[in-house]
Amino acid sequence: MNDPSTDITPIINITVSEHDFNVADEYQAMIDNNPTDGAVVFFVGLVRDFNQGKHIQQLTLEHYPAMVERSLKNIVEQASARWQLGRVRLIHRVGELQVNDQIVLVAVSSKHRQNSFDAAQFIMDFLKTEAPFWKKEKTNDGEHWVVDNEKDHKARKRW
């Protein structure tokens, strides 16, 4: 948790885009001119070929930009209030994605590793349940909208 006597305002970068991202470039952005932070934690989520018992061919993510931007900002602000963070980069892709495409990046830096690990996991757990993205999967049986997963809600509740 944050120690109010050492509060710093983290540098936050949130992007929602149809374009892919380069992990090496994102890592460089986390460490450039950042002599204070000793830990950088990354999570990159990929589109997998199997979900909820179905073979996935393609994933389409739809969103309402203003609603998503507000939600993602809120999630990152909650993490920043709980842990002393240096930088946070959050990228979430939208549009048509193929199996093995990158879908999300969460990068968090802090002075100490535990803050980065906890904040990154918190952000992902909240993204899975709070961010208003609508996911449609294309399978061998046709297309269907993805429903919430109880496992994701349980993960979020622990925070």
Side-chain angles (χ1 to χ4, degrees):
M1 294 293 220
N2 271 347
D3 174 359
S5 66
T6 59
D7 275 351
I8 57 170
T9 302
I11 298 171
I12 296 171
N13 183 293
I14 299 172
T15 304
V16 177
S17 176
E18 291 185 8
H19 303 290
D20 200 6
F21 51 87
N22 181 295
V23 174
D25 291 344
E26 299 305 324
Y27 175 74
Q28 197 62 48
M30 294 295 288
I31 65 170
D32 278 349
N33 301 311
N34 188 4
T36 304
D37 292 340
V40 178
V41 169
F42 266 77
F43 172 81
V44 176
L46 306 174
V47 177
R48 62 180 176 222
D49 67 351
F50 195 80
N51 189 38
Q52 299 179 0
K54 297 187 184 287
H55 179 74
I56 308 303
Q57 298 172 347
Q58 181 182 19
L59 177 67
T60 302
L61 279 101
E62 296 183 7
H63 75 302
Y64 180 69
M67 183 184 282
V68 166
E69 289 167 16
R70 194 167 38 250
S71 177
L72 299 184
K73 183 176 183 238
N74 182 44
I75 292 167
V76 171
E77 286 174 348
Q78 286 181 61
S80 298
R82 293 178 72 135
W83 295 280
Q84 188 175 14
L85 307 177
R87 296 183 182 182
V88 178
R89 295 181 79 76
L90 170 57
I91 300 172
H92 206 297
R93 294 186 59 205
V94 293
E96 290 185 3
L97 300 171
Q98 305 305 314
V99 170
N100 220 38
D101 281 353
Q102 298 179 134
I103 188 172
V104 64
L105 173 131
V106 175
V108 180
S109 71
S110 63
K111 290 180 183 179
H112 305 287
R113 70 180 179 268
Q114 198 61 53
N115 286 340
S116 292
F117 278 118
D118 290 345
Q121 192 156 7
F122 173 92
I123 290 168
M124 271 310 305
D125 287 346
F126 273 68
L127 273 177
K128 293 289 285 183
T129 57
E130 300 296 317
F133 291 102
W134 297 279
K135 298 176 183 179
K136 183 173 25 173
E137 293 175 335
K138 181 177 178 184
T139 71
N140 294 337
D141 300 327
E143 295 181 345
H144 67 275
W145 292 101
V146 177
V147 296
D148 284 350
N149 186 328
E150 183 59 32
K151 183 179 91 175
D152 294 331
H153 286 278
K154 285 181 182 177
R156 182 192 173 277
K157 284 180 184 176
R158 70 189 165 119
W159 300 107

